[in-house]
PDB file of all heavy atoms in Angstrom:
ATOM      1  N   SER A  26       4.207  -4.613   7.118  1.00 98.00           N
ATOM      2  CA  SER A  26       4.581  -4.491   8.526  1.00 98.00           C
ATOM      3  C   SER A  26       3.336  -3.886   9.398  1.00 98.00           C
ATOM      4  O   SER A  26       2.953  -2.727   9.038  1.00 98.00           O
ATOM      5  CB  SER A  26       5.740  -3.590   8.611  1.00 98.00           C
ATOM      6  OG  SER A  26       6.064  -3.283   9.929  1.00 98.00           O
ATOM      7  N   LYS A  50       6.233  -6.472  11.943  1.00 98.00           N
ATOM      8  CA  LYS A  50       5.837  -5.205  12.628  1.00 98.00           C
ATOM      9  C   LYS A  50       7.198  -4.478  13.008  1.00 98.00           C
ATOM     10  O   LYS A  50       8.094  -5.177  13.413  1.00 98.00           O
ATOM     11  CB  LYS A  50       4.918  -5.525  13.830  1.00 98.00           C
ATOM     12  CG  LYS A  50       4.690  -4.304  14.566  1.00 98.00           C
ATOM     13  CD  LYS A  50       3.271  -3.630  14.321  1.00 98.00           C
ATOM     14  CE  LYS A  50       3.105  -2.344  15.146  1.00 98.00           C
ATOM     15  NZ  LYS A  50       2.308  -1.312  14.431  1.00 98.00           N
ATOM     16  N   THR A  51       7.174  -3.275  12.867  1.00 97.00           N
ATOM     17  CA  THR A  51       8.492  -2.328  12.910  1.00 97.00           C
ATOM     18  C   THR A  51       9.106  -2.677  14.407  1.00 97.00           C
ATOM     19  O   THR A  51       8.541  -2.376  15.376  1.00 97.00           O
ATOM     20  CB  THR A  51       8.368  -0.975  12.613  1.00 97.00           C
ATOM     21  OG1 THR A  51       7.787  -0.874  11.270  1.00 97.00           O
ATOM     22  CG2 THR A  51       9.675  -0.221  12.797  1.00 97.00           C
ATOM     23  N   ASN A  81      -5.318   4.768  11.823  1.00 98.00           N
ATOM     24  CA  ASN A  81      -4.680   4.167  12.950  1.00 98.00           C
ATOM     25  C   ASN A  81      -3.649   5.199  13.606  1.00 98.00           C
ATOM     26  O   ASN A  81      -3.065   5.970  12.898  1.00 98.00           O
ATOM     27  CB  ASN A  81      -3.891   2.842  12.721  1.00 98.00           C
ATOM     28  CG  ASN A  81      -2.539   2.989  12.199  1.00 98.00           C
ATOM     29  OD1 ASN A  81      -1.527   2.952  13.090  1.00 98.00           O
ATOM     30  ND2 ASN A  81      -2.330   2.996  10.922  1.00 98.00           N
ATOM     31  N   ASN A 140      11.998   1.700   8.202  1.00 97.00           N
ATOM     32  CA  ASN A 140      10.782   2.440   8.419  1.00 97.00           C
ATOM     33  C   ASN A 140      11.031   3.948   8.493  1.00 97.00           C
ATOM     34  O   ASN A 140      11.253   4.403   9.653  1.00 97.00           O
ATOM     35  CB  ASN A 140       9.879   1.865   9.550  1.00 97.00           C
ATOM     36  CG  ASN A 140       8.580   2.596   9.720  1.00 97.00           C
ATOM     37  OD1 ASN A 140       8.371   3.658   9.095  1.00 97.00           O
ATOM     38  ND2 ASN A 140       7.657   1.933  10.550  1.00 97.00           N
ATOM     39  N   LYS A 181      11.232   1.931   3.292  1.00 98.00           N
ATOM     40  CA  LYS A 181       9.823   2.189   3.124  1.00 98.00           C
ATOM     41  C   LYS A 181       9.634   3.624   3.173  1.00 98.00           C
ATOM     42  O   LYS A 181       9.869   4.354   4.132  1.00 98.00           O
ATOM     43  CB  LYS A 181       9.107   1.433   4.149  1.00 98.00           C
ATOM     44  CG  LYS A 181       7.545   1.496   4.024  1.00 98.00           C
ATOM     45  CD  LYS A 181       6.858   0.610   4.890  1.00 98.00           C
ATOM     46  CE  LYS A 181       5.388   0.661   4.837  1.00 98.00           C
ATOM     47  NZ  LYS A 181       4.734  -0.186   5.844  1.00 98.00           N
ATOM     48  N   ILE A 207       3.184   2.411  -0.246  1.00 98.00           N
ATOM     49  CA  ILE A 207       3.325   3.585   0.743  1.00 98.00           C
ATOM     50  C   ILE A 207       3.147   3.166   2.114  1.00 98.00           C
ATOM     51  O   ILE A 207       2.438   2.039   2.406  1.00 98.00           O
ATOM     52  CB  ILE A 207       2.230   4.534   0.266  1.00 98.00           C
ATOM     53  CG1 ILE A 207       0.870   4.059   0.237  1.00 98.00           C
ATOM     54  CG2 ILE A 207       2.651   5.222  -0.996  1.00 98.00           C
ATOM     55  CD1 ILE A 207      -0.243   5.169   0.063  1.00 98.00           C
ATOM     56  N   ASN A 208       3.493   3.912   3.017  1.00 98.00           N
ATOM     57  CA  ASN A 208       3.063   3.796   4.392  1.00 98.00           C
ATOM     58  C   ASN A 208       1.677   4.589   4.425  1.00 98.00           C
ATOM     59  O   ASN A 208       1.385   5.094   3.427  1.00 98.00           O
ATOM     60  CB  ASN A 208       4.159   4.333   5.423  1.00 98.00           C
ATOM     61  CG  ASN A 208       3.868   3.696   6.758  1.00 98.00           C
ATOM     62  OD1 ASN A 208       2.911   3.485   7.356  1.00 98.00           O
ATOM     63  ND2 ASN A 208       5.081   3.290   7.386  1.00 98.00           N
ATOM     64  N   SER A 237      -5.196   4.003   5.830  1.00 98.00           N
ATOM     65  CA  SER A 237      -4.825   2.887   4.992  1.00 98.00           C
ATOM     66  C   SER A 237      -6.084   2.335   4.443  1.00 98.00           C
ATOM     67  O   SER A 237      -7.196   2.863   4.494  1.00 98.00           O
ATOM     68  CB  SER A 237      -4.140   1.819   5.900  1.00 98.00           C
ATOM     69  OG  SER A 237      -5.206   1.314   6.812  1.00 98.00           O
ATOM     70  N   GLY A 238      -6.044   1.241   3.538  1.00 98.00           N
ATOM     71  CA  GLY A 238      -7.222   0.714   2.955  1.00 98.00           C
ATOM     72  C   GLY A 238      -7.556   1.254   1.635  1.00 98.00           C
ATOM     73  O   GLY A 238      -6.842   2.078   1.144  1.00 98.00           O
ATOM     74  N   LEU A 263       2.356  -1.062  -2.078  1.00 98.00           N
ATOM     75  CA  LEU A 263       1.267  -1.194  -1.183  1.00 98.00           C
ATOM     76  C   LEU A 263       0.442   0.063  -0.840  1.00 98.00           C
ATOM     77  O   LEU A 263       0.889   1.058  -1.159  1.00 98.00           O
ATOM     78  CB  LEU A 263       1.732  -1.941   0.142  1.00 98.00           C
ATOM     79  CG  LEU A 263       2.456  -1.112   1.121  1.00 98.00           C
ATOM     80  CD1 LEU A 263       2.169  -1.668   2.589  1.00 98.00           C
ATOM     81  CD2 LEU A 263       3.960  -0.966   0.890  1.00 98.00           C
ATOM     82  N   GLY A 265      -3.958  -0.075   0.096  1.00 98.00           N
ATOM     83  CA  GLY A 265      -5.300  -0.273  -0.480  1.00 98.00           C
ATOM     84  C   GLY A 265      -5.529  -1.499  -1.384  1.00 98.00           C
ATOM     85  O   GLY A 265      -6.429  -1.523  -2.101  1.00 98.00           O
ATOM     86  N   CYS A 286      -1.978  -5.017   4.168  1.00 98.00           N
ATOM     87  CA  CYS A 286      -2.220  -4.911   5.617  1.00 98.00           C
ATOM     88  C   CYS A 286      -3.646  -4.925   5.945  1.00 98.00           C
ATOM     89  O   CYS A 286      -4.307  -5.870   6.536  1.00 98.00           O
ATOM     90  CB  CYS A 286      -1.508  -3.662   6.091  1.00 98.00           C
ATOM     91  SG  CYS A 286      -2.108  -3.140   7.796  1.00 98.00           S
ATOM     92  N   THR A 287      -4.407  -3.770   5.540  1.00 98.00           N
ATOM     93  CA  THR A 287      -5.796  -3.529   6.075  1.00 98.00           C
ATOM     94  C   THR A 287      -6.722  -4.642   5.673  1.00 98.00           C
ATOM     95  O   THR A 287      -7.535  -5.021   6.453  1.00 98.00           O
ATOM     96  CB  THR A 287      -6.242  -2.219   5.613  1.00 98.00           C
ATOM     97  OG1 THR A 287      -5.347  -1.178   6.097  1.00 98.00           O
ATOM     98  CG2 THR A 287      -7.675  -1.822   5.976  1.00 98.00           C
TER      99      THR A 287
HETATM  100  C1  LIG B 401      -2.852  -0.674  12.681  1.00 66.19           C
HETATM  101  C2  LIG B 401      -1.643  -0.451  11.634  1.00 66.19           C
HETATM  102  C3  LIG B 401      -0.364  -0.581  12.167  1.00 66.19           C
HETATM  103  C4  LIG B 401       0.783  -0.251  11.326  1.00 66.19           C
HETATM  104  N1  LIG B 401       1.980  -0.608  11.740  1.00 66.19           N
HETATM  105  C5  LIG B 401       3.109  -0.343  10.877  1.00 66.19           C
HETATM  106  C6  LIG B 401       4.429  -0.469  11.392  1.00 66.19           C
HETATM  107  O1  LIG B 401       4.680  -0.831  12.451  1.00 66.19           O
HETATM  108  N2  LIG B 401       5.350  -0.358  10.452  1.00 66.19           N
HETATM  109  C7  LIG B 401       5.228   0.071   9.142  1.00 66.19           C
HETATM  110  O2  LIG B 401       6.165   0.052   8.340  1.00 66.19           O
HETATM  111  N3  LIG B 401       3.768   0.189   8.593  1.00 66.19           N
HETATM  112  C8  LIG B 401       2.891   0.069   9.478  1.00 66.19           C
HETATM  113  N4  LIG B 401       1.580   0.222   9.041  1.00 66.19           N
HETATM  114  C9  LIG B 401       1.323   0.525   7.725  1.00 66.19           C
HETATM  115  C10 LIG B 401       1.151  -0.570   6.765  1.00 66.19           C
HETATM  116  O3  LIG B 401       2.374  -1.456   6.710  1.00 66.19           O
HETATM  117  C11 LIG B 401       0.881  -0.216   5.247  1.00 66.19           C
HETATM  118  O4  LIG B 401       1.947   0.562   4.831  1.00 66.19           O
HETATM  119  C12 LIG B 401      -0.414   0.724   5.141  1.00 66.19           C
HETATM  120  O5  LIG B 401      -1.482   0.293   6.033  1.00 66.19           O
HETATM  121  C13 LIG B 401      -0.950   0.619   3.776  1.00 66.19           C
HETATM  122  O6  LIG B 401      -1.344  -0.615   3.386  1.00 66.19           O
HETATM  123  P1  LIG B 401      -2.815  -1.196   3.452  1.00 66.19           P
HETATM  124  O7  LIG B 401      -3.710  -0.195   2.723  1.00 66.19           O
HETATM  125  O8  LIG B 401      -2.727  -2.521   2.731  1.00 66.19           O
HETATM  126  O9  LIG B 401      -3.211  -1.282   4.839  1.00 66.19           O
HETATM  127  C14 LIG B 401       0.468  -0.081   9.845  1.00 66.19           C
HETATM  128  C15 LIG B 401      -0.863   0.032   9.493  1.00 66.19           C
HETATM  129  C16 LIG B 401      -1.877  -0.145  10.305  1.00 66.19           C
HETATM  130  C17 LIG B 401      -3.296  -0.055   9.787  1.00 66.19           C
END
Side-chain angles (χ1 to χ4, degrees):
S26 174
K50 173 93 186 151
T51 301
N81 87 85
N140 181 344
K181 185 169 179 185
I207 56 174
N208 207 316
S237 63
L263 73 156
C286 159
T287 300

